[in-house]
Amino acid sequence: MSATYRLTPSGTTRHNASAVEVKINHNVFCDKVVVTIEATATKKFPPFPRVGVRMRCADHLSSVEWFGRGPHECYPDRKSSALFGRFTSTTREMHVPYIVPSENGGRSDVSWIALHSQSVNPASIMGHDRPHPAMTSISQEGCVNSATAGLLVSMPHYSVAQVSAQHHALEALCTASHTHELEEMADAGDGSVHLHVDHLHMGIGGDDSWTPSVHPQFMIPSGDLWKWSFTLVPILATNDGFVVHNSSQRTSHDAAHECKPRTQ
């Protein structure tokens, strides 16, 4: 299933206006969805803060597990102190309550990230060689059933992403002028966990207290063609994220022998 979008600045309707063009392709298998994206932006745009996707997930998927840098917040130009490893947290704990709300809680160089139901402790299943969801959660019709306990996002081998997961939408971070306002919004809630999986993310800059500048090597200039992919895999409470990630790395050709993609 493929879709192409042409995104222009708000209020712009001219056909030759500056635009971001995005092509998204979904290859749907019984046990996973492989998402491939191509995007380009005209050179008239200023540098971009991020290039990636945002997903809204069910609010109960608030237990987070990932393999990458951590355990604390880190970004492309602020990650030397963050070690590589396998970490667990929650969406509440990953949020950094800056006085003036802004982008926060990111984790760099992530190979995979899993969202579990709040009732599941990811640490309790680490190291268990559980079967792939295709063996345990396929219904009689050949599809993954709705009894799965979470979602795993797997990046291809030798690829990593900048990720974050929290209850606050970007719109809420931009709207609130003080952290207490953000907390009040969170109490109301929009019933979602906002998961960001970024192919590219600009640095945060701020080498000193008077200039917010970002070094050129950590900028994302417009005019480039960006290509990336990731795999979405439903997981059960008994599935080990590392095992599922490795299983998802099979090529589409291998998977096709077991389960043909669905056509829509």
Side-chain angles (χ1 to χ4, degrees), residues 94-110:
M94 294 179 76
H95 174 71
V96 181
Y98 294 115
I99 297 300
V100 178
S102 61
E103 163 66 29
N104 71 88
R107 301 301 192 272
S108 299
D109 301 333
V110 172

Side-chain angles (χ1 to χ4, degrees), residues 1 16 18 22 24 42 68 74 76 84 95 98 135 157 181 185 206 213 215 224 246 251 253 255-257:
M1 183 170 62
N16 61 347
S18 298
V22 182
I24 305 177
T42 55
C74 53
F84 277 100
H95 174 71
Y98 294 115
M135 304 177 188
H157 277 317
E181 296 178 0
M185 293 180 187
S213 58
H215 291 273
D224 292 336
N246 283 336
T251 66
H253 179 269
H257 281 79

Side-chain angles (χ1 to χ4, degrees), residues 29-35 55 112-116 131-134 137 144 148-155 230-236 239-241 243-250:
F29 298 90
C30 290
D31 58 344
K32 64 186 177 182
V33 177
V34 180
V35 182
M55 292 172 268
W112 58 267
I113 181 171
L115 301 182
H116 297 272
H132 187 265
S137 61
V144 178
T148 54
L151 171 72
L152 182 136
V153 182
S154 172
M155 271 51 80
F230 55 88
T231 302
L232 304 174
V233 188
I235 53 176
L236 299 173
N239 290 136
D240 183 292
V243 175
V244 176
H245 165 69
N246 283 336
S247 298
S248 72
Q249 298 302 307
R250 294 175 301 173

